[in-house]
Amino acid sequence: MYRLFDIDICSVRNLFFVIFACNLSSPVAWAQSKDETVLLLNSYHPQYPWTKALTDAISETLEGRVKSEHLHIDYLDGRFMLDDTAYRETLKGIIEAKYSKIDLDVIIASDDYAVNFLLEEGDKIFPQVPVVYVGVNFLSTELANRDNYAGIVEGMDIEGNINLILDTLPNTESIILLSDNSNFGQHISNLASDIISANRANQGWERVHFDIWSNYTLPTLYEKLGALPNNTAVLLVAIHHDNSGRYFSYTDDLPELTAASNSPVFGMFGAVMLGNGIVGGNINSPTEQGKQVATLALNLLSGASITDLPQTTKGSFSPKFDYRELKRFNIDPLQLPHGSTVSFKPNNELLSTEQLTYLFVVLIVVTSLGMVVYYNVRRQVAEEKANTDALTQLPNRRAANHWLSKQWALSMTGRKAFAIGILDIDHFKRVNDEHGHDIGDKVLVHVAKRVQKVLRSNDKLYRWGGEEFVIYFDFVDPETLDKVGDRLLHAIRHTPIEPAGTITASLGIAISSDFESLETLLIRADAALYHVKENGRDNLLLVSVS
């Protein structure tokens, strides 16, 4: 009995040793002991609708596998800074400094700007880290030959959208394709020309006149679109900026463009175009592409080799339309391609009894609170009116003093620094004297709008009085402030207003310190402005307390 018992004890001990040794040698066991780290490198800014939808889909798909603090998300602002080589070089240093001490398992790159950045700099900044990409419009030879890259080539369905236009509007005689003169836009224009040449003999294509517009300023583009003849359609391929360097926002500028157009405008990027005035198009989905590329990343984290991952050569496109624009151009819904989705339809269904009862109760509650709401609204309207400049609709000097006093108080606690800029329109008295005060007012409104478009989301613009504006800068560093100020003056200078012509402005910026009053800070900013005025105008001076 004793001998048998001894053998069993040895067997059990040996069995535990084998299990422990297997666990030590298992890659899965070691992988699970380390927090998996992923970098999502976006080409564009976080407010860009495509980027936001894509980022949300990737985050949701990775949730549960990658901890939130180990999913690093960065934005390269490629739409704002396209073709800016100095910014690209600065960006390289920033990304390298941020991630030099972070051990990444996978990089997800969204859209061409981020992918091209990694192709040029990735091997030096992120050696041997696999990259999965999404939203790439052009599969370059370099990208196709990279062993540690795989992903989804979104492509641009120019051919599919032209066919959709011809199916939806069979009497179309002319199609205008809109691009721009950036390097990216020129690439697209060349691609569109090749596609048109290759399909010239196809049924329907042979009778259509095609034209590619890429050389324009936005005001002249709106005029040309407004003068288009009947039986013309427009395909917006991609616009980043016009010839003057003015940034094109799909949220702010696309509705204005489509409203100005005498012809229906089609597009292929649903997240940024549909709902902003286009009729529709063969459209892609950032949500679906986000899920797909995140799944590829999960496969790598689970032990798959990047060479085993499929490389999708074209993203998914499907016909989608805006009901309101179909009605505007009298397009027959029966003419739409099979399987089309129509959004923004009016809800004409009658309310159910349950809904009517709920509505009745809500009306009673709202009525009982009516007087309270009424007086609150009146007080808020009066307060807003007292703080708003009637001409430019900007916050006025009263609002500026209130906000700046709060920020100065915060800076005194050491919680944050900020900067104040005073901007003065150059030769404004000459504009009033030569063209009248009505034109002077137009110039003030024009400058206010241009400055607001350029400022960062946390900066604030105020009408100070006369031709002067005050700007609150959410301080980052002097170099960034200098660049923001240059972009601001550039935007004013390169968007002339008739009949006044080219307008310029001078800007003085002072950075706050923790030992001076708000009044002293404003005096320093005004002194910096005066220095610019005395030395040629149309420039800026940034001063800080040494």
Side-chain angles (χ1 to χ4, degrees), residues 427-483:
H427 304 298
F428 185 72
K429 184 177 183 300
R430 184 190 303 169
V431 173
N432 279 332
D433 292 345
E434 294 181 0
H435 304 287
H437 288 279
D438 287 345
I439 299 302
D441 288 348
K442 286 180 65 177
V443 168
L444 287 169
V445 173
H446 174 77
V447 169
K449 288 182 177 179
R450 295 308 305 144
V451 172
Q452 280 184 304
K453 277 184 175 288
V454 174
L455 288 178
R456 302 166 301 172
S457 60
N458 290 335
D459 299 335
K460 295 182 183 294
L461 175 66
Y462 301 89
R463 173 87 184 277
W464 195 242
E467 66 270 29
E468 281 191 342
F469 299 83
V470 159
I471 305 169
Y472 163 81
F473 292 104
D474 193 37
F475 180 66
V476 178
D477 57 70
E479 184 178 353
T480 300
L481 277 181
D482 198 54
K483 289 182 178 179

Short mmCIF file of all heavy atoms in Angstrom, two decimals, residues 427-483:
data_model
loop_
_atom_site.label_atom_id
_atom_site.label_comp_id
_atom_site.label_asym_id
_atom_site.label_seq_id
_atom_site.Cartn_x
_atom_site.Cartn_y
_atom_site.Cartn_z
N HIS A 427 -6.51 100.43 -42.57
CA HIS A 427 -7.07 101.48 -43.44
C HIS A 427 -8.59 101.43 -43.51
O HIS A 427 -9.19 101.68 -44.57
CB HIS A 427 -6.49 101.34 -44.86
CG HIS A 427 -4.99 101.39 -44.91
ND1 HIS A 427 -4.25 102.49 -44.50
CD2 HIS A 427 -4.09 100.43 -45.29
CE1 HIS A 427 -2.95 102.22 -44.65
NE2 HIS A 427 -2.82 100.99 -45.12
N PHE A 428 -9.22 101.14 -42.39
CA PHE A 428 -10.67 101.02 -42.39
C PHE A 428 -11.36 102.36 -42.65
O PHE A 428 -12.39 102.43 -43.31
CB PHE A 428 -11.15 100.43 -41.07
CG PHE A 428 -12.63 100.16 -41.03
CD1 PHE A 428 -13.17 99.11 -41.76
CD2 PHE A 428 -13.49 100.94 -40.27
CE1 PHE A 428 -14.52 98.85 -41.74
CE2 PHE A 428 -14.84 100.70 -40.24
CZ PHE A 428 -15.37 99.63 -40.97
N LYS A 429 -10.78 103.44 -42.16
CA LYS A 429 -11.36 104.76 -42.40
C LYS A 429 -11.40 105.08 -43.88
O LYS A 429 -12.36 105.67 -44.40
CB LYS A 429 -10.54 105.82 -41.65
CG LYS A 429 -11.11 107.23 -41.75
CD LYS A 429 -10.29 108.21 -40.94
CE LYS A 429 -10.92 109.60 -40.99
NZ LYS A 429 -11.00 110.13 -42.35
N ARG A 430 -10.35 104.61 -44.61
CA ARG A 430 -10.31 104.84 -46.06
C ARG A 430 -11.47 104.10 -46.75
O ARG A 430 -12.07 104.62 -47.69
CB ARG A 430 -8.98 104.36 -46.61
CG ARG A 430 -8.80 104.65 -48.10
CD ARG A 430 -7.56 103.94 -48.63
NE ARG A 430 -6.36 104.34 -47.89
CZ ARG A 430 -5.20 103.71 -48.02
NH1 ARG A 430 -5.09 102.65 -48.82
NH2 ARG A 430 -4.16 104.12 -47.32
N VAL A 431 -11.78 102.89 -46.26
CA VAL A 431 -12.91 102.14 -46.84
C VAL A 431 -14.20 102.92 -46.65
O VAL A 431 -15.01 103.07 -47.58
CB VAL A 431 -13.02 100.75 -46.17
CG1 VAL A 431 -14.29 100.04 -46.64
CG2 VAL A 431 -11.80 99.91 -46.49
N ASN A 432 -14.43 103.44 -45.45
CA ASN A 432 -15.65 104.21 -45.19
C ASN A 432 -15.68 105.48 -46.03
O ASN A 432 -16.73 105.85 -46.58
CB ASN A 432 -15.74 104.57 -43.71
CG ASN A 432 -16.27 103.43 -42.87
OD1 ASN A 432 -17.04 102.59 -43.35
ND2 ASN A 432 -15.86 103.36 -41.61
N ASP A 433 -14.54 106.18 -46.13
CA ASP A 433 -14.50 107.44 -46.87
C ASP A 433 -14.72 107.23 -48.35
O ASP A 433 -15.40 108.03 -49.01
CB ASP A 433 -13.15 108.13 -46.63
CG ASP A 433 -13.00 108.63 -45.19
OD1 ASP A 433 -14.03 108.69 -44.49
OD2 ASP A 433 -11.85 108.91 -44.78
N GLU A 434 -14.13 106.16 -48.92
CA GLU A 434 -14.20 105.95 -50.37
C GLU A 434 -15.45 105.21 -50.82
O GLU A 434 -15.93 105.41 -51.94
CB GLU A 434 -12.95 105.18 -50.83
CG GLU A 434 -11.65 105.96 -50.65
CD GLU A 434 -10.44 105.16 -51.14
OE1 GLU A 434 -10.63 104.01 -51.62
OE2 GLU A 434 -9.31 105.68 -51.04
N HIS A 435 -15.98 104.32 -49.98
CA HIS A 435 -17.09 103.46 -50.42
C HIS A 435 -18.35 103.63 -49.58
O HIS A 435 -19.39 103.06 -49.93
CB HIS A 435 -16.65 101.99 -50.38
CG HIS A 435 -15.43 101.70 -51.19
ND1 HIS A 435 -15.42 101.68 -52.57
CD2 HIS A 435 -14.14 101.44 -50.81
CE1 HIS A 435 -14.20 101.41 -53.01
NE2 HIS A 435 -13.40 101.26 -51.96
N GLY A 436 -18.27 104.33 -48.48
CA GLY A 436 -19.45 104.54 -47.66
C GLY A 436 -19.53 103.56 -46.50
O GLY A 436 -18.87 102.52 -46.49
N HIS A 437 -20.35 103.93 -45.52
CA HIS A 437 -20.42 103.12 -44.31
C HIS A 437 -21.12 101.78 -44.53
O HIS A 437 -20.88 100.83 -43.78
CB HIS A 437 -21.14 103.92 -43.21
CG HIS A 437 -20.31 105.04 -42.66
ND1 HIS A 437 -19.34 104.85 -41.71
CD2 HIS A 437 -20.27 106.37 -42.98
CE1 HIS A 437 -18.75 106.00 -41.43
NE2 HIS A 437 -19.29 106.95 -42.18
N ASP A 438 -21.98 101.68 -45.54
CA ASP A 438 -22.62 100.38 -45.82
C ASP A 438 -21.57 99.35 -46.22
O ASP A 438 -21.62 98.19 -45.77
CB ASP A 438 -23.66 100.52 -46.93
CG ASP A 438 -24.91 101.25 -46.47
OD1 ASP A 438 -25.08 101.38 -45.24
OD2 ASP A 438 -25.70 101.68 -47.32
N ILE A 439 -20.63 99.76 -47.06
CA ILE A 439 -19.55 98.85 -47.46
C ILE A 439 -18.64 98.59 -46.26
O ILE A 439 -18.16 97.45 -46.05
CB ILE A 439 -18.74 99.43 -48.63
CG1 ILE A 439 -19.66 99.61 -49.85
CG2 ILE A 439 -17.58 98.50 -49.00
CD1 ILE A 439 -20.34 98.34 -50.32
N GLY A 440 -18.41 99.61 -45.44
CA GLY A 440 -17.62 99.41 -44.23
C GLY A 440 -18.23 98.37 -43.32
O GLY A 440 -17.54 97.51 -42.76
N ASP A 441 -19.56 98.42 -43.19
CA ASP A 441 -20.26 97.41 -42.38
C ASP A 441 -20.09 96.01 -42.97
O ASP A 441 -19.90 95.02 -42.25
CB ASP A 441 -21.74 97.75 -42.27
CG ASP A 441 -21.99 98.95 -41.35
OD1 ASP A 441 -21.07 99.36 -40.65
OD2 ASP A 441 -23.13 99.47 -41.37
N LYS A 442 -20.17 95.91 -44.32
CA LYS A 442 -19.99 94.62 -44.98
C LYS A 442 -18.59 94.07 -44.71
O LYS A 442 -18.41 92.86 -44.51
CB LYS A 442 -20.22 94.74 -46.49
CG LYS A 442 -21.67 94.89 -46.90
CD LYS A 442 -21.82 95.00 -48.40
CE LYS A 442 -21.38 93.73 -49.11
NZ LYS A 442 -21.60 93.80 -50.57
N VAL A 443 -17.60 94.96 -44.71
CA VAL A 443 -16.22 94.53 -44.44
C VAL A 443 -16.10 93.99 -43.01
O VAL A 443 -15.47 92.96 -42.76
CB VAL A 443 -15.24 95.70 -44.66
CG1 VAL A 443 -13.85 95.36 -44.11
CG2 VAL A 443 -15.15 96.03 -46.15
N LEU A 444 -16.72 94.67 -42.06
CA LEU A 444 -16.68 94.21 -40.67
C LEU A 444 -17.29 92.82 -40.53
O LEU A 444 -16.73 91.94 -39.87
CB LEU A 444 -17.42 95.20 -39.76
CG LEU A 444 -16.71 96.53 -39.49
CD1 LEU A 444 -17.66 97.52 -38.83
CD2 LEU A 444 -15.48 96.32 -38.63
N VAL A 445 -18.45 92.61 -41.16
CA VAL A 445 -19.11 91.31 -41.09
C VAL A 445 -18.28 90.24 -41.78
O VAL A 445 -18.11 89.12 -41.28
CB VAL A 445 -20.52 91.38 -41.72
CG1 VAL A 445 -21.15 89.99 -41.81
CG2 VAL A 445 -21.42 92.32 -40.92
N HIS A 446 -17.70 90.61 -42.92
CA HIS A 446 -16.88 89.67 -43.69
C HIS A 446 -15.65 89.22 -42.88
O HIS A 446 -15.35 88.03 -42.80
CB HIS A 446 -16.44 90.36 -44.99
CG HIS A 446 -15.48 89.57 -45.81
ND1 HIS A 446 -15.85 88.51 -46.59
CD2 HIS A 446 -14.12 89.67 -45.97
CE1 HIS A 446 -14.80 88.00 -47.19
NE2 HIS A 446 -13.74 88.69 -46.84
N VAL A 447 -14.95 90.18 -42.27
CA VAL A 447 -13.76 89.85 -41.48
C VAL A 447 -14.15 88.97 -40.29
O VAL A 447 -13.46 88.00 -39.96
CB VAL A 447 -13.07 91.14 -41.00
CG1 VAL A 447 -12.00 90.83 -39.95
CG2 VAL A 447 -12.43 91.85 -42.19
N ALA A 448 -15.26 89.30 -39.64
CA ALA A 448 -15.70 88.50 -38.50
C ALA A 448 -15.93 87.04 -38.89
O ALA A 448 -15.51 86.11 -38.19
CB ALA A 448 -16.99 89.09 -37.91
N LYS A 449 -16.56 86.82 -40.04
CA LYS A 449 -16.84 85.45 -40.50
C LYS A 449 -15.55 84.72 -40.84
O LYS A 449 -15.39 83.54 -40.53
CB LYS A 449 -17.78 85.47 -41.70
CG LYS A 449 -19.21 85.85 -41.36
CD LYS A 449 -20.10 85.81 -42.60
CE LYS A 449 -21.54 86.12 -42.25
NZ LYS A 449 -22.42 86.10 -43.45
N ARG A 450 -14.62 85.41 -41.51
CA ARG A 450 -13.38 84.75 -41.92
C ARG A 450 -12.55 84.35 -40.69
O ARG A 450 -11.99 83.26 -40.63
CB ARG A 450 -12.53 85.68 -42.81
CG ARG A 450 -13.16 86.04 -44.13
CD ARG A 450 -13.62 84.83 -44.92
NE ARG A 450 -12.55 83.89 -45.12
CZ ARG A 450 -12.71 82.58 -45.14
NH1 ARG A 450 -13.89 82.05 -44.92
NH2 ARG A 450 -11.68 81.77 -45.33
N VAL A 451 -12.49 85.24 -39.70
CA VAL A 451 -11.71 84.95 -38.50
C VAL A 451 -12.33 83.77 -37.75
O VAL A 451 -11.63 82.86 -37.28
CB VAL A 451 -11.64 86.19 -37.58
CG1 VAL A 451 -10.99 85.84 -36.24
CG2 VAL A 451 -10.83 87.29 -38.27
N GLN A 452 -13.66 83.75 -37.63
CA GLN A 452 -14.33 82.65 -36.92
C GLN A 452 -14.06 81.30 -37.57
O GLN A 452 -13.93 80.30 -36.88
CB GLN A 452 -15.84 82.90 -36.87
CG GLN A 452 -16.27 83.88 -35.79
CD GLN A 452 -17.76 84.02 -35.69
OE1 GLN A 452 -18.43 84.34 -36.66
NE2 GLN A 452 -18.29 83.77 -34.52
N LYS A 453 -13.96 81.27 -38.90
CA LYS A 453 -13.71 80.01 -39.59
C LYS A 453 -12.31 79.46 -39.30
O LYS A 453 -12.09 78.26 -39.32
CB LYS A 453 -13.90 80.18 -41.11
CG LYS A 453 -15.34 80.07 -41.58
CD LYS A 453 -15.40 80.16 -43.09
CE LYS A 453 -16.82 79.93 -43.59
NZ LYS A 453 -17.23 78.54 -43.45
N VAL A 454 -11.36 80.37 -39.05
CA VAL A 454 -9.96 79.95 -38.89
C VAL A 454 -9.63 79.59 -37.43
O VAL A 454 -8.81 78.72 -37.17
CB VAL A 454 -9.02 81.07 -39.39
CG1 VAL A 454 -7.57 80.73 -39.10
CG2 VAL A 454 -9.21 81.26 -40.89
N LEU A 455 -10.29 80.27 -36.49
CA LEU A 455 -9.95 80.05 -35.08
C LEU A 455 -10.21 78.62 -34.65
O LEU A 455 -11.08 77.94 -35.19
CB LEU A 455 -10.78 81.00 -34.19
CG LEU A 455 -10.40 82.49 -34.24
CD1 LEU A 455 -11.33 83.30 -33.36
CD2 LEU A 455 -8.96 82.70 -33.81
N ARG A 456 -9.45 78.18 -33.65
CA ARG A 456 -9.64 76.85 -33.09
C ARG A 456 -10.92 76.80 -32.27
O ARG A 456 -11.48 77.84 -31.91
CB ARG A 456 -8.43 76.47 -32.23
CG ARG A 456 -7.10 76.49 -32.99
CD ARG A 456 -5.92 76.45 -32.04
NE ARG A 456 -5.95 77.57 -31.12
CZ ARG A 456 -5.13 77.69 -30.09
NH1 ARG A 456 -4.22 76.76 -29.84
NH2 ARG A 456 -5.20 78.74 -29.30
N SER A 457 -11.38 75.59 -31.97
CA SER A 457 -12.68 75.43 -31.33
C SER A 457 -12.74 76.09 -29.95
O SER A 457 -13.81 76.55 -29.53
CB SER A 457 -13.03 73.94 -31.22
OG SER A 457 -12.06 73.26 -30.46
N ASN A 458 -11.62 76.16 -29.23
CA ASN A 458 -11.62 76.74 -27.88
C ASN A 458 -11.29 78.23 -27.86
O ASN A 458 -11.31 78.85 -26.80
CB ASN A 458 -10.64 75.98 -26.99
CG ASN A 458 -11.12 74.59 -26.66
OD1 ASN A 458 -12.32 74.32 -26.69
ND2 ASN A 458 -10.20 73.69 -26.37
N ASP A 459 -10.96 78.80 -29.03
CA ASP A 459 -10.71 80.24 -29.10
C ASP A 459 -12.03 81.00 -29.21
O ASP A 459 -13.04 80.43 -29.64
CB ASP A 459 -9.82 80.57 -30.30
CG ASP A 459 -8.46 79.89 -30.21
OD1 ASP A 459 -8.04 79.57 -29.08
OD2 ASP A 459 -7.83 79.68 -31.26
N LYS A 460 -12.03 82.28 -28.85
CA LYS A 460 -13.25 83.07 -28.90
C LYS A 460 -12.97 84.44 -29.51
O LYS A 460 -11.93 85.04 -29.24
CB LYS A 460 -13.86 83.23 -27.50
CG LYS A 460 -14.33 81.92 -26.88
CD LYS A 460 -14.97 82.13 -25.51
CE LYS A 460 -15.37 80.81 -24.89
NZ LYS A 460 -16.44 80.14 -25.62
N LEU A 461 -13.94 84.92 -30.31
CA LEU A 461 -13.81 86.19 -31.01
C LEU A 461 -14.88 87.17 -30.51
O LEU A 461 -16.05 86.79 -30.37
CB LEU A 461 -13.95 85.98 -32.52
CG LEU A 461 -13.94 87.24 -33.40
CD1 LEU A 461 -12.57 87.93 -33.33
CD2 LEU A 461 -14.29 86.87 -34.84
N TYR A 462 -14.46 88.44 -30.28
CA TYR A 462 -15.38 89.47 -29.77
C TYR A 462 -15.24 90.73 -30.61
O TYR A 462 -14.15 91.07 -31.07
CB TYR A 462 -15.08 89.81 -28.31
CG TYR A 462 -15.18 88.63 -27.36
CD1 TYR A 462 -14.08 87.81 -27.12
CD2 TYR A 462 -16.38 88.34 -26.72
CE1 TYR A 462 -14.17 86.73 -26.25
CE2 TYR A 462 -16.48 87.26 -25.85
CZ TYR A 462 -15.38 86.46 -25.62
OH TYR A 462 -15.48 85.39 -24.78
N ARG A 463 -16.36 91.43 -30.81
CA ARG A 463 -16.32 92.78 -31.40
C ARG A 463 -16.00 93.75 -30.28
O ARG A 463 -16.79 93.95 -29.35
CB ARG A 463 -17.66 93.11 -32.03
CG ARG A 463 -17.78 94.57 -32.52
CD ARG A 463 -17.26 94.76 -33.92
NE ARG A 463 -17.28 96.16 -34.34
CZ ARG A 463 -18.33 96.81 -34.83
NH1 ARG A 463 -19.48 96.17 -34.96
NH2 ARG A 463 -18.24 98.05 -35.20
N TRP A 464 -14.83 94.40 -30.34
CA TRP A 464 -14.35 95.26 -29.27
C TRP A 464 -14.89 96.69 -29.43
O TRP A 464 -15.20 97.37 -28.47
CB TRP A 464 -12.83 95.25 -29.27
CG TRP A 464 -12.17 95.78 -28.05
CD1 TRP A 464 -11.34 96.86 -27.98
CD2 TRP A 464 -12.24 95.27 -26.71
NE1 TRP A 464 -10.89 97.04 -26.70
CE2 TRP A 464 -11.43 96.07 -25.89
CE3 TRP A 464 -12.91 94.19 -26.14
CZ2 TRP A 464 -11.27 95.85 -24.53
CZ3 TRP A 464 -12.76 93.96 -24.79
CH2 TRP A 464 -11.96 94.78 -23.99
N GLY A 465 -15.03 97.11 -30.68
CA GLY A 465 -15.51 98.45 -30.98
C GLY A 465 -14.86 98.98 -32.23
O GLY A 465 -13.69 98.68 -32.52
N GLY A 466 -15.62 99.76 -33.04
CA GLY A 466 -15.06 100.29 -34.28
C GLY A 466 -14.60 99.16 -35.19
O GLY A 466 -15.32 98.21 -35.45
N GLU A 467 -13.34 99.26 -35.66
CA GLU A 467 -12.80 98.21 -36.52
C GLU A 467 -11.91 97.24 -35.75
O GLU A 467 -11.16 96.48 -36.34
CB GLU A 467 -11.98 98.82 -37.67
CG GLU A 467 -10.70 99.55 -37.26
CD GLU A 467 -10.93 101.02 -36.97
OE1 GLU A 467 -12.05 101.39 -36.55
OE2 GLU A 467 -9.99 101.81 -37.18
N GLU A 468 -12.03 97.23 -34.42
CA GLU A 468 -11.19 96.38 -33.58
C GLU A 468 -11.96 95.16 -33.07
O GLU A 468 -13.14 95.25 -32.73
CB GLU A 468 -10.64 97.15 -32.38
CG GLU A 468 -9.46 98.04 -32.71
CD GLU A 468 -8.78 98.57 -31.46
OE1 GLU A 468 -9.39 98.54 -30.38
OE2 GLU A 468 -7.62 98.99 -31.58
N PHE A 469 -11.26 94.03 -33.03
CA PHE A 469 -11.79 92.79 -32.48
C PHE A 469 -10.81 92.28 -31.42
O PHE A 469 -9.60 92.49 -31.54
CB PHE A 469 -11.94 91.71 -33.56
CG PHE A 469 -12.89 92.09 -34.67
CD1 PHE A 469 -12.46 92.89 -35.73
CD2 PHE A 469 -14.19 91.63 -34.66
CE1 PHE A 469 -13.33 93.23 -36.75
CE2 PHE A 469 -15.06 91.98 -35.67
CZ PHE A 469 -14.63 92.78 -36.71
N VAL A 470 -11.34 91.65 -30.40
CA VAL A 470 -10.51 91.00 -29.39
C VAL A 470 -10.65 89.49 -29.52
O VAL A 470 -11.78 88.98 -29.70
CB VAL A 470 -10.88 91.47 -27.96
CG1 VAL A 470 -10.41 90.47 -26.92
CG2 VAL A 470 -10.25 92.81 -27.68
N ILE A 471 -9.54 88.79 -29.42
CA ILE A 471 -9.54 87.33 -29.55
C ILE A 471 -8.97 86.72 -28.27
O ILE A 471 -7.89 87.10 -27.82
CB ILE A 471 -8.70 86.87 -30.75
CG1 ILE A 471 -9.16 87.55 -32.04
CG2 ILE A 471 -8.79 85.35 -30.91
CD1 ILE A 471 -8.23 87.34 -33.21
N TYR A 472 -9.73 85.80 -27.69
CA TYR A 472 -9.22 84.98 -26.59
C TYR A 472 -8.62 83.72 -27.19
O TYR A 472 -9.28 82.97 -27.90
CB TYR A 472 -10.35 84.61 -25.62
CG TYR A 472 -10.00 83.46 -24.70
CD1 TYR A 472 -9.24 83.67 -23.55
CD2 TYR A 472 -10.41 82.15 -24.99
CE1 TYR A 472 -8.90 82.61 -22.72
CE2 TYR A 472 -10.07 81.09 -24.17
CZ TYR A 472 -9.33 81.32 -23.03
OH TYR A 472 -9.00 80.28 -22.22
N PHE A 473 -7.33 83.50 -26.95
CA PHE A 473 -6.64 82.31 -27.42
C PHE A 473 -6.47 81.34 -26.25
O PHE A 473 -5.87 81.69 -25.23
CB PHE A 473 -5.27 82.64 -27.99
CG PHE A 473 -5.31 83.41 -29.27
CD1 PHE A 473 -5.02 84.77 -29.29
CD2 PHE A 473 -5.62 82.79 -30.46
CE1 PHE A 473 -5.05 85.49 -30.47
CE2 PHE A 473 -5.64 83.50 -31.66
CZ PHE A 473 -5.37 84.85 -31.66
N ASP A 474 -6.99 80.14 -26.41
CA ASP A 474 -6.77 79.08 -25.42
C ASP A 474 -5.32 78.64 -25.57
O ASP A 474 -4.98 77.90 -26.48
CB ASP A 474 -7.73 77.92 -25.67
CG ASP A 474 -7.76 76.95 -24.51
OD1 ASP A 474 -7.67 77.39 -23.37
OD2 ASP A 474 -7.88 75.74 -24.77
N PHE A 475 -4.46 79.10 -24.71
CA PHE A 475 -3.01 79.05 -24.93
C PHE A 475 -2.47 77.62 -24.99
O PHE A 475 -2.83 76.79 -24.17
CB PHE A 475 -2.29 79.84 -23.83
CG PHE A 475 -0.80 79.84 -23.98
CD1 PHE A 475 -0.21 80.47 -25.06
CD2 PHE A 475 -0.01 79.19 -23.07
CE1 PHE A 475 1.16 80.46 -25.20
CE2 PHE A 475 1.37 79.19 -23.21
CZ PHE A 475 1.95 79.83 -24.27
N VAL A 476 -1.61 77.36 -25.97
CA VAL A 476 -0.88 76.09 -26.07
C VAL A 476 0.61 76.38 -25.96
O VAL A 476 1.27 76.02 -25.00
CB VAL A 476 -1.21 75.37 -27.40
CG1 VAL A 476 -0.40 74.08 -27.47
CG2 VAL A 476 -2.69 75.06 -27.48
N ASP A 477 1.15 77.06 -26.95
CA ASP A 477 2.55 77.48 -26.92
C ASP A 477 2.72 78.61 -27.93
O ASP A 477 1.89 78.78 -28.83
CB ASP A 477 3.48 76.30 -27.25
CG ASP A 477 3.16 75.67 -28.58
OD1 ASP A 477 3.41 76.33 -29.62
OD2 ASP A 477 2.66 74.54 -28.60
N PRO A 478 3.77 79.41 -27.81
CA PRO A 478 3.94 80.56 -28.71
C PRO A 478 3.99 80.16 -30.18
O PRO A 478 3.44 80.88 -31.03
CB PRO A 478 5.27 81.16 -28.24
CG PRO A 478 5.39 80.76 -26.81
CD PRO A 478 4.79 79.38 -26.73
N GLU A 479 4.61 79.04 -30.50
CA GLU A 479 4.72 78.62 -31.91
C GLU A 479 3.34 78.34 -32.50
O GLU A 479 3.04 78.76 -33.62
CB GLU A 479 5.60 77.37 -32.01
CG GLU A 479 5.84 76.94 -33.45
CD GLU A 479 6.75 75.71 -33.55
OE1 GLU A 479 7.29 75.29 -32.50
OE2 GLU A 479 6.90 75.20 -34.66
N THR A 480 2.50 77.65 -31.73
CA THR A 480 1.14 77.37 -32.21
C THR A 480 0.35 78.66 -32.37
O THR A 480 -0.36 78.86 -33.36
CB THR A 480 0.41 76.44 -31.23
OG1 THR A 480 1.12 75.21 -31.14
CG2 THR A 480 -1.00 76.13 -31.73
N LEU A 481 0.46 79.57 -31.39
CA LEU A 481 -0.23 80.86 -31.49
C LEU A 481 0.20 81.62 -32.73
O LEU A 481 -0.62 82.22 -33.42
CB LEU A 481 0.07 81.70 -30.25
CG LEU A 481 -0.76 81.43 -28.99
CD1 LEU A 481 -0.33 82.37 -27.88
CD2 LEU A 481 -2.24 81.60 -29.27
N ASP A 482 1.49 81.59 -33.02
CA ASP A 482 2.01 82.29 -34.18
C ASP A 482 1.41 81.73 -35.47
O ASP A 482 1.03 82.47 -36.37
CB ASP A 482 3.54 82.17 -34.19
CG ASP A 482 4.19 83.20 -35.10
OD1 ASP A 482 3.93 84.40 -34.93
OD2 ASP A 482 4.96 82.80 -35.99
N LYS A 483 1.30 80.40 -35.54
CA LYS A 483 0.73 79.77 -36.74
C LYS A 483 -0.76 80.09 -36.88
O LYS A 483 -1.25 80.37 -37.98
CB LYS A 483 0.92 78.25 -36.69
CG LYS A 483 2.37 77.82 -36.89
CD LYS A 483 2.49 76.30 -36.88
CE LYS A 483 3.94 75.86 -37.11
NZ LYS A 483 4.08 74.39 -37.09
#
